[in-house]
Amino acid sequence: MAESTDSSNVPRHIAFIMDGNGRWAKARGLPRLKGHEAGAETVRLVIRCCRDWGVRYLTLYAFSTENWRRPALEVNGLMRLLQKFLQENEGGLHEHGVRLRVIGRRGDLPGSVRREVERVEAATVNYDSGELILALSYGGRVEIAEAARRIAEKVAKGELKPGAVNEKVVTDHLYAPDVPDPDLVVRTSGEFRTSNFLPWQSVYSEWLITPVLWPDFSESDFQAVIEAYTRRNRRFGGVESGVTKESNG
Ligand code: IPE
Ligand code: IPE
Ligand code: MG
């Protein structure tokens, strides 16, 4: 299993767009929330797979800024599920030294959920065996817009010169500036769109779309994703590694 793949090629950071919970439930004649509950089990599985394969950073798109448009019943159910997930899985974070952090408009979250999230963030802040990054009320455009606003405020106060604003300065004002860009973004359930996920950070990520619905995503799907990634040739606008300017003629 893990031994068959060169560990130096394993992505350092994988981000998942966890999609398909609703369709999974519908196919079984169940309410959508049952799909989200099943999806929470996949989250546990994927956290374990990342640990087993040595993936250091795992980002999970759990709730988008657009998901507030869903019926209140579903939104409330998701918030409750999130709180329950944190309560049930905090022990695992401590046991394995994994730091939790949240990216997104945390002020949008119900007070009790926000307090729970921030309590676990604070309790795990010094861990460095891995990072679990939950995107909650996350929108990529609003992340960039908020960064722009904070940069503008610094410029207005004279703390920053307009000419000094570059890519690094923008990155430094995002939600988690020190987290490396995702090497791989995986979307389950077959949609070919980004749905406002990590637009700044994913410009050179490898993307992988699988038809598997999130609650059905298994350990062997995880392995297949890693193996597909290791076969990709990332060039970052350059030429294949090992090919020099001269030999490329
Ligand atoms: C993803 O599953 C989970 C969230 C967006 C919270 P969906 O709920 O979007 O499932 P589908 O797309 O309706 O199948
Ligand atoms: C993206 O899925 C958001 C999350 C997985 C949290 P959606 O189901 O909300 O995306 P769209 O609406 O199909 O683009
Ligand atoms: Mg969906």
Side-chain angles (χ1 to χ4, degrees):
M1 294 249 313
E3 300 76 46
S4 64
T5 303
D6 175 0
S7 65
S8 64
N9 278 333
V10 167
R12 181 162 58 146
H13 181 180
I14 305 186
F16 280 93
I17 302 179
M18 310 186 285
D19 200 12
N21 295 350
R23 277 161 281 178
W24 183 93
K26 191 172 180 201
R28 286 161 178 75
L30 296 170
R32 293 178 59 84
L33 270 171
K34 290 286 170 200
H36 297 313
E37 283 172 17
E41 288 307 307
T42 307
V43 171
R44 291 162 60 91
L45 172 94
V46 165
I47 292 171
R48 180 164 56 74
C49 288
C50 283
R51 193 163 63 236
D52 290 350
W53 285 79
V55 175
R56 188 175 171 79
Y57 299 89
L58 169 64
T59 298
L60 299 173
Y61 202 7
F63 197 89
S64 73
T65 45
E66 288 74 33
N67 288 148
W68 295 109
R69 295 178 189 151
R70 296 189 179 196
L73 185 73
E74 182 170 351
V75 169
N76 295 340
L78 279 165
M79 292 298 144
R80 267 200 310 277
L81 192 59
L82 172 65
Q83 217 166 349
K84 182 164 169 264
F85 181 86
L86 287 173
Q87 282 157 4
E88 289 177 359
N89 293 281
E90 183 185 352
L93 301 178
H94 293 300
E95 185 182 343
H96 299 287
V98 176
R99 177 179 177 185
L100 175 86
R101 49 168 125 184
V102 165
I103 56 172
R105 291 172 48 91
R106 55 180 68 213
D108 291 347
L109 300 171
S112 58
V113 175
R114 180 176 178 173
R115 280 191 295 278
E116 183 69 6
V117 154
E118 293 187 341
R119 188 186 61 73
V120 180
E121 277 184 318
T124 61
V125 69
N126 292 318
Y127 293 159
D128 66 356
S129 295
E131 294 204 13
L132 172 63
I133 300 141
L134 289 184
L136 292 178
S137 195
Y138 177 86
R141 284 191 170 178
V142 86
E143 179 178 31
I144 295 168
E146 285 177 6
R149 190 193 317 129
R150 291 203 289 129
I151 291 166
E153 283 164 0
K154 287 187 183 169
V155 169
K157 284 193 212 147
E159 291 169 12
L160 191 66
K161 290 195 165 54
V165 178
N166 57 21
E167 291 179 24
K168 177 161 189 314
V169 170
V170 175
T171 298
D172 286 345
H173 289 80
L174 300 177
Y175 295 127
D178 53 305
V179 172
D181 290 342
D183 299 296
L184 175 63
V185 183
V186 178
R187 183 167 190 149
T188 55
S189 91
E191 312 291 0
F192 282 72
R193 56 177 172 259
T194 70
S195 302
N196 206 6
F197 188 48
L198 303 178
W200 178 273
Q201 298 88 337
S202 69
V203 287
Y204 266 109
S205 302
E206 295 298 320
W207 284 76
L208 197 147
I209 315 290
T210 166
V212 177
L213 304 176
W214 179 251
D216 289 330
F217 191 82
S218 66
E219 194 161 352
S220 62
D221 293 317
F222 188 92
Q223 180 172 358
V225 156
I226 300 277
E227 286 173 355
Y229 172 83
T230 62
R231 288 192 297 272
R232 301 273 180 98
N233 183 1
R234 300 181 78 187
R235 288 184 290 278
F236 300 97
V239 291
E240 217 169 311
S241 58
V243 180
T244 63
K245 256 188 202 162
E246 293 70 33
S247 63
N248 197 30

